[in-house]
Amino acid sequence: MLDYGIWKSRTLIWRRNFSSSSGSSSASATRTLKEKKWDALVIGGGHNGLTAAAYLDCGGLSVAVLERRHVIGGAAVTEELIPGFKFSRCSYLQSLLRPSIIRELELKKHGLKLLKPTAMSFTPCLDGRYMLFGFDEEHNYPEIAKFSKRYADAYPRYESQLHKFCKLMDFLLNSHPPETLHGDSSFKDQMKDRLQKSVFWVRCMRLIVSLGQKDMVDFVELLLSPTSKVLNKWFELLSVEWYIINSSLLLGAEKVFLPKFDDVLKVIIAGDAIIGSMASIHAPGSGYVLLHHVMGETDGDRNVWSHVEGGMGSVSLAISKAACEAGAQILTNAEVSQLMIKGSGEVNKILMADETQVHSSIVLSNATPYKTFMELVPQNVLPDDFIHAIKCTDYNSGVTKLTLALINCPNSIVASQVILRWVLNIQLLSASVLKDSACRDAWNGLPSQRPVMEMTIPSSLDKTISPPV
């Protein structure tokens, strides 16, 4: 736990505008940056960088966050792209922000409000049936049994095992991972390091032993196996029929493949394993993504995703308020152009885009590895093999995000507007989930002919991001 006794109240977010209307606050911010040697500088005001700043300042260090854009948040940002409509530009749902961070930084006190829907997902079928997935077994069993009683019987056991694995993952995600200590460390530091590593491994082994041999084998298999193998283990293959429909209601699509069938549960789970990626459910390791999607929680409820009031930028804003209350200084319109490195290889200061030099003992980067090591670090500093690995990092994505401002709630093939207004997302799934056709198109640089589609309507729960209807 953090020592909240060290929290202090300082200046809130500075805005550095280099126009004539910047005022004295901009000059004051620049002067403070130049004159002070910081314990830590954070490049980038995304939610990860802001979280790092909050914890460092709570640890008694002086910290400044330097954000290139006019607004903080990075991928978790809310912007009014259309007058009256506020959009979460990148991330759009919340579940995986660690509960320990929400609790320790008191993010709810700083304005974070999570909006839980009454149902998780809605998946329509051509024959008029649909699956309305909820958050408890009592609701989900009859929904799944509409398609297959065998699947309805198997699903609680499948979900229960994943929740067991989540306890081990919680420990790993919330712990400081063991790291190699520098060879020139003092005897005291070496003994402290050995004690910390021993505590970590003892706790880890206790959790492994509590799982038991069978569950541990299944856990490793889940991490390494393709999703298709995991699903075939739990849910035997049922007959599936796929039909082409012509519809102008589904985002203007002319040809859409939807299931008519008994295997809808399997397709829904498979969709969770590839959403946001260019992966096949037959790729080794894709089984981990199934676990990844149930590791999160909302207000203590496991595997519950939620909207955030005010959009995803409210997450970043709450973290920034916690960081500022702890003493961090956050500057927008503050672009870093280069890390300045001493002959020993240590970073001791940074160069801003306006030629300002800022001194710091430690520099953290919330930018991408490519941006950090290829653009901010001077040339001929890093090893050639490291540079080669950074250059070969694949940032390609098969995801397209379409953001719309609508007059009314959209219609669906079989859904009433009541369902659409209270469900977290609407899934339009196709044979491409099981047959890999969607990702194959993406691998070949083509738009998918049978895409996996997910629709969310955040304004159905959040009345702060759109005008009243």
Side-chain angles (χ1 to χ4, degrees):
M1 292 296 293
L2 297 176
D3 181 3
Y4 292 101
I6 65 173
W7 284 32
K8 296 169 282 186
S9 176
R10 293 188 192 169
T11 308
L12 292 180
I13 300 174
W14 285 328
R15 284 190 180 275
R16 298 184 66 221
N17 298 307
F18 296 105
S19 63
S20 59
S21 62
S22 58
S24 60
S25 61
S26 176
S28 174
T30 303
R31 185 169 57 252
T32 301
L33 270 180
K34 291 176 61 176
E35 295 175 353
K36 182 174 182 176
K37 180 176 181 180
W38 301 85
D39 294 322
L41 291 174
V42 180
I43 301 174
H47 70 287
N48 287 312
L50 294 169
T51 301
Y55 277 98
L56 288 171
D57 224 304
C58 287
L61 304 181
S62 60
V63 184
V65 179
L66 308 173
E67 169 54 44
R68 176 183 61 85
R69 298 191 66 219
H70 67 284
V71 60
I72 60 171
V77 65
T78 302
E79 294 187 78
E80 189 171 332
L81 304 180
I82 300 174
F85 293 86
K86 299 176 183 178
F87 297 96
S88 297
R89 294 195 61 175
C90 190
S91 62
Y92 58 102
L93 294 173
Q94 196 294 125
S95 178
L96 296 173
L97 180 63
R98 298 306 301 161
S100 56
I101 294 176
I102 296 175
R103 181 177 62 255
E104 292 169 354
L105 297 184
E106 298 185 304
L107 297 187
K108 292 187 177 181
K109 184 188 80 171
H110 293 295
L112 179 66
K113 185 175 181 180
L114 306 179
L115 306 174
K116 292 194 294 186
T118 56
M120 191 66 178
S121 66
F122 171 80
T123 306
C125 301
L126 284 181
D127 59 5
R129 293 182 297 172
Y130 59 84
M131 184 175 290
L132 184 62
F133 226 77
F135 299 114
D136 58 76
E137 182 178 344
E138 182 179 356
H139 171 86
N140 290 335
Y141 186 92
E143 285 290 311
I144 300 172
K146 290 190 302 187
F147 301 90
S148 169
K149 187 176 183 303
R150 287 176 289 175
Y151 281 14
D153 292 335
Y155 184 77
R157 299 194 301 271
Y158 162 80
E159 191 175 45
S160 176
Q161 186 180 68
L162 290 187
H163 286 179
K164 284 183 185 178
F165 297 160
C166 286
K167 294 180 180 179
L168 178 55
M169 293 302 301
D170 284 342
F171 168 75
L172 296 175
L173 292 172
N174 291 332
S175 300
H176 297 288
E179 298 181 9
T180 302
L181 199 65
H182 294 293
D184 57 352
S185 301
S186 66
F187 176 76
K188 180 180 178 181
D189 287 339
Q190 291 179 24
M191 294 303 296
K192 182 179 179 181
D193 178 67
R194 290 179 182 177
L195 177 61
Q196 290 175 340
K197 288 179 179 177
S198 297
V199 171
F200 172 85
W201 288 115
V202 167
R203 291 177 177 173
C204 186
M205 290 304 299
R206 284 178 179 171
L207 287 170
I208 291 174
V209 170
S210 67
L211 277 179
Q213 182 175 349
K214 182 182 182 304
D215 279 339
M216 195 61 205
V217 170
D218 290 340
F219 175 67
V220 174
E221 183 180 44
L222 177 66
L223 296 182
L224 303 178
S225 295
T227 299
S228 55
K229 181 178 179 180
V230 176
L231 295 182
N232 289 338
K233 175 182 176 180
W234 283 98
F235 310 106
E236 59 184 288
L237 185 64
L238 300 177
S239 61
V240 184
E241 295 180 83
W242 299 90
Y243 293 85
I244 302 177
I245 64 169
N246 294 313
S247 174
S248 60
L249 298 179
L250 294 176
L251 301 180
E254 293 183 356
K255 292 184 179 180
V256 180
F257 283 66
L258 287 177
K260 187 186 174 179
F261 53 61
D262 299 317
D263 227 10
V264 62
L265 175 66
K266 202 170 183 180
V267 176
I268 291 174
I269 298 174
D272 283 341
I274 61 172
I275 191 74
S277 71
M278 290 172 64
S280 161
I281 65 168
H282 304 298
S286 62
Y288 164 77
V289 187
L290 295 176
L291 179 61
H292 179 84
H293 275 88
V294 301
M295 285 193 306
E297 60 180 71
T298 294
D299 293 338
D301 295 328
R302 177 77 74 181
N303 190 25
V304 175
W305 294 70
S306 62
H307 293 295
V308 180
E309 186 173 87
M312 293 301 291
S314 296
V315 176
S316 300
L317 184 61
I319 299 173
S320 73
K321 289 180 178 179
C324 289
E325 184 175 291
Q329 313 291 349
I330 302 174
L331 291 82
T332 56
N333 291 315
E335 182 176 1
V336 176
S337 62
Q338 190 178 64
L339 302 179
M340 305 185 74
I341 301 176
K342 297 188 296 185
S344 61
E346 295 181 357
V347 179
N348 66 333
K349 55 186 174 180
I350 63 170
L351 180 67
M352 305 291 290
D354 64 350
E355 302 299 324
T356 299
Q357 293 187 12
V358 186
H359 293 259
S360 178
S361 301
I362 299 172
V363 176
L364 294 81
S365 180
N366 190 196
T368 65
Y370 189 93
K371 173 70 175 180
T372 301
F373 297 114
M374 300 303 299
E375 298 182 20
L376 299 183
V377 174
Q379 294 183 1
N380 304 320
V381 171
L382 300 170
D384 290 340
D385 57 346
F386 182 83
I387 292 294
H388 177 74
I390 294 297
K391 286 183 176 180
C392 292
T393 302
D394 187 0
Y395 287 97
N396 288 326
S397 171
V399 176
T400 296
K401 186 171 186 282
L402 181 64
T403 303
L404 303 172
L406 304 175
I407 297 176
N408 286 309
C409 190
N411 294 320
S412 176
I413 296 174
V414 295
S416 69
Q417 289 203 10
V418 174
I419 291 178
L420 285 176
R421 286 186 178 277
W422 294 105
V423 72
L424 185 70
N425 63 62
I426 301 98
Q427 297 177 320
L428 304 178
L429 305 171
S430 73
S432 61
V433 176
L434 299 181
K435 296 182 178 180
D436 289 350
S437 59
C439 60
R440 286 198 187 110
D441 287 339
W443 294 339
N444 291 319
L446 301 172
S448 174
Q449 295 300 307
R450 303 176 184 179
V452 175
M453 302 173 66
E454 182 182 45
M455 298 168 55
T456 63
I457 310 176
S459 58
S460 64
L461 293 176
D462 184 2
K463 305 306 179 183
T464 70
I465 58 175
S466 63
V469 178

